Amino acid sequence: MRRTAPGALAGAALLLTLTTGCGGGASADDSGTVTVTVGYQSRTINTVTAGTLLRSLGYFEDELRKRGARDGVTYKVKWQDYATGAPITAQMTAGKIDIGSMGDFPLLINAARGVQLKRPTRLVSVTGYNLAGGLNTVVTAPGSQLRSLTDLRGKKVSTSVGSAADGTLVRALQQAGLDPEKDIRKLNQQPAVGASALQAGSADALSQFVAWPGLLAFQGRAEALYDGAELNLPTFHGVTVSEDFAEKRSAVVEDFLRAQGRATAYLHEHPVAASESVAKATGLPAEVVHLYNGAQGIATFDTTLKPALIVALKKDVPVLASAKLVGDVDVDAFVDDRYIKRVYGSGYAKALAAGPPARRGGEVWLKGKDATTAFATSAELLRYAAAHRDQVRAAYVPDAKTGTLWFADRAVWVEDGSALRPYVTGSAARADVAAHPGARTVSYADALKRAGTAS
C-alpha cells in the first residue's frame, strides 16, 4: 500500500531535487579516513529515518562513498545506539558524537548543555512528528482501578525525567488540576525499567514515548489511561549536530540529510517493508512498529523544520525550566535550516507547507501479506475484520476524538445506535457515553459481531 498523502509527496519531491552536496568538504585525518559518529535510539521508532531504518538501508554510507570518490577521502560511519536522548547529548558535548536524534524535550536539553559546555549544537531536521502530541501515552497495568489522571494523586508514576513523555505527564497533570511535583511520586526510570516496574506493581502508571505504550498494550501488559493527543500540542523528534562538526564538514551534514530524505521516501513508499525492517533490527513486533510508522501511523515523517514544531519547541522551554532542567534556551539560535534547505533546493517551501495525511478509518494487516488495506471509516474496517477474522495480523483504528491510531482490539468501543466509535482510553469512551444517552461501551468481540451482522 502506498502513501499518497502530503508527506509522501514531500518525500518524492525531495528525491527529485537531491543533488550532490554543496558547502565545505570534510577534512580527513592523518590516516586519510573521516569517521562520522551517529548517535541514535533504535527503539524510539519515530527516529528511524535518522537511525534504525537509515542504518539498515545503508543510504548514509552510500552518500559518503560518492563523496569520497569525489574528494579522494575514505569516510566511515560509526553508529551508537542508546535508549534515550540524554546519553547522546552527553556524548555530543564530550565531542564523541557528531550527529544525534532525539525528542523535543531532550533536544532543548541538548541545546542548553551545548551552550553551557561551550560545545553548541544545532537542530537541522525533523524525523517523525504528531501535531496533537499522540506519540506519548500514560498507561496503567491491565485491570487497574485508575480510571483518569486525577486518580494518580498519591500514586507512583514512572517516566524518564526530561523526556517528551515527562513533558506530556507534567502538562496533563496540570491540566487535570494536579501538581506534578507534589501530587504524585515520580519515578525517574529508563523506559524498560519503568515497564518492568509497572508489571511488578512498584509503579502505578507509566508515562512514556513511542514505542513503549504501544508495545505494552500490544503485549497485553498495559492499558492506556491518557492519550497525549488530548493536549493538542505538537511533539516531534529531530536531528541535532555538533556546530563545530557542521561548520567543518557541512557537506557531510548535507549528505546525512540527503540520506535521511531517501529513507523517509522509502518509508512512505514501502511502509510494511519498513516496519518489518525496523522490527528485525530492534526486536520489536512489526505490528507495534507499524502502529507508529505505518501509512496511517501515529507519526508523520517529514524532514522539514515546520514552524508549528518550532513554536511548540519554544512552548516546551518553560516546562523544562520549571523543573530546573534548563535555564533559558534560545530556540531560534538552535534551529538551523540552512542545510536542509540546500538539500531540498527549490522544493523546500512546498515541502515545508505540506501537512500530515488526512485522518482515515484505519487499516488492516492480514497474515502473510506485504501490504495493508485502508478504510475510509472504522465501520468499514470492522466489517472487513469480521469477514477475515482468522486472517487478521493487526487492525488499527483512529481514536474518534483525537485521531490517534490504536490497535482495534485494544481500543475501547462505544456503541451508539448503529454507530461504533473507538477510543484509545476508557475515560474518553466514558465521556462519549455520558454525552450520548443510550450509548454504551462494548468489547471488540461484540463490535466485530455487530459489524458482521450489519453487513
Side-chain angles (χ1 to χ4, degrees):
M1 164 177 154
R2 292 175 176 252
R3 179 182 274 177
T4 56
L9 296 177
L14 176 57
L15 286 177
L16 291 174
T17 58
L18 293 180
T19 58
T20 56
C22 53
S27 58
D29 59 20
D30 292 339
S31 68
T33 299
V34 171
T35 298
V36 184
T37 304
V38 181
Y40 72 110
Q41 304 170 62
S42 64
R43 303 198 91 185
T44 306
I45 54 174
N46 65 317
T47 66
V48 296
T49 55
T52 310
L53 182 63
L54 176 61
R55 181 179 184 179
S56 68
L57 291 170
Y59 287 163
F60 187 30
E61 289 84 351
D62 179 55
E63 293 292 336
L64 290 180
R65 275 193 295 272
K66 290 185 285 188
R67 178 160 302 285
R70 295 191 297 271
D71 296 348
V73 175
T74 299
Y75 291 93
K76 176 183 177 183
V77 182
K78 183 178 181 181
W79 298 89
Q80 295 184 348
D81 187 9
Y82 298 92
T84 64
I88 297 176
T89 288
Q91 293 292 85
M92 289 188 80
T93 53
K96 296 180 179 180
I97 285 180
D98 304 306
I99 303 170
S101 56
M102 60 192 71
D104 39 17
F105 277 72
L107 281 168
L108 289 171
I109 295 174
N110 181 276
R113 296 288 185 270
V115 171
Q116 180 185 11
L117 298 173
K118 295 180 171 49
R119 286 186 179 271
T121 57
R122 294 291 179 260
L123 174 63
V124 295
S125 72
V126 170
T127 58
Y129 72 90
N130 183 283
L131 290 180
L135 295 168
N136 307 310
T137 314
V138 181
V139 298
T140 60
S144 170
Q145 297 304 302
L146 302 175
R147 293 164 60 85
S148 69
L149 286 176
T150 55
D151 291 337
L152 292 179
R153 190 183 301 274
K155 303 297 183 181
K156 293 175 287 186
V157 183
S158 174
T159 191
S160 302
V161 172
S163 71
D166 182 29
T168 291
L169 177 65
V170 168
R171 282 180 164 134
L173 290 173
Q174 290 173 338
Q175 195 174 81
L178 274 65
D179 186 325
E181 299 300 321
K182 298 177 181 179
D183 290 335
I184 66 166
R185 294 175 58 190
K186 187 184 291 187
L187 308 177
N188 182 16
Q189 297 174 323
Q190 292 286 325
V193 175
S196 296
L198 183 69
Q199 188 171 24
S202 54
D204 299 295
L206 172 74
S207 180
Q208 273 302 345
F209 47 79
V210 49
W212 287 94
L215 172 64
L216 296 175
F218 177 76
Q219 294 173 332
R221 296 166 58 196
E223 296 175 350
L225 179 73
Y226 184 81
D227 173 5
E230 292 181 45
L231 287 173
N232 197 28
L233 290 170
T235 185
F236 72 99
H237 284 63
V239 176
T240 178
V241 301
S242 159
E243 181 182 78
D244 179 65
F245 175 81
E247 289 180 350
K248 290 179 179 177
R249 298 170 180 168
S250 62
V252 176
V253 173
E254 290 167 33
D255 286 334
F256 183 86
L257 297 181
R258 188 173 296 105
Q260 186 195 349
R262 290 172 61 188
T264 302
Y266 178 90
L267 184 148
H268 289 153
E269 291 292 323
H270 310 284
V272 170
S275 293
E276 294 278 23
S277 174
V278 171
K280 182 178 180 180
T282 62
L284 289 167
E287 297 90 337
V288 174
V289 177
H290 204 74
L291 172 71
Y292 294 97
N293 294 6
Q296 297 186 46
I298 300 174
T300 297
F301 287 86
D302 183 340
T303 60
T304 61
L305 292 160
K306 297 188 180 302
L309 302 181
I310 307 309
V311 169
L313 202 60
K314 292 178 179 179
K315 291 180 179 179
D316 292 340
V317 174
V319 179
L320 284 171
S322 66
K324 298 181 173 55
L325 293 172
V326 301
D328 187 32
V329 179
D330 188 343
V331 172
D332 289 326
F334 178 52
V335 177
D336 190 342
D337 62 4
R338 291 176 297 167
Y339 307 100
I340 194 67
K341 280 183 173 179
R342 287 202 289 260
V343 167
Y344 266 94
S346 60
Y348 187 72
K350 182 178 179 181
L352 188 67
R359 185 193 307 177
R360 300 187 67 189
E363 57 183 314
V364 173
W365 188 357
L366 294 182
K367 297 174 184 177
K369 299 296 183 180
D370 58 4
T372 61
T373 302
F375 300 89
T377 67
S378 295
E380 292 177 11
L381 179 143
L382 282 173
R383 287 194 291 272
Y384 183 86
H388 298 79
R389 193 182 301 260
D390 296 331
Q391 301 168 263
V392 175
R393 179 173 178 178
Y396 309 91
V397 289
D399 182 282
K401 183 177 180 181
T402 66
T404 300
L405 203 69
W406 206 241
F407 297 108
D409 61 344
R410 304 301 183 192
V412 184
W413 290 86
V414 171
E415 181 186 40
D416 182 12
S418 61
L420 287 161
R421 294 186 289 271
Y423 291 93
V424 173
T425 67
S427 59
R430 288 190 293 273
D432 184 325
V433 170
H436 298 88
R440 65 189 183 109
T441 59
V442 296
S443 67
Y444 177 59
D446 283 342
L448 282 178
K449 187 182 299 183
R450 283 161 174 72
T453 303
S455 63

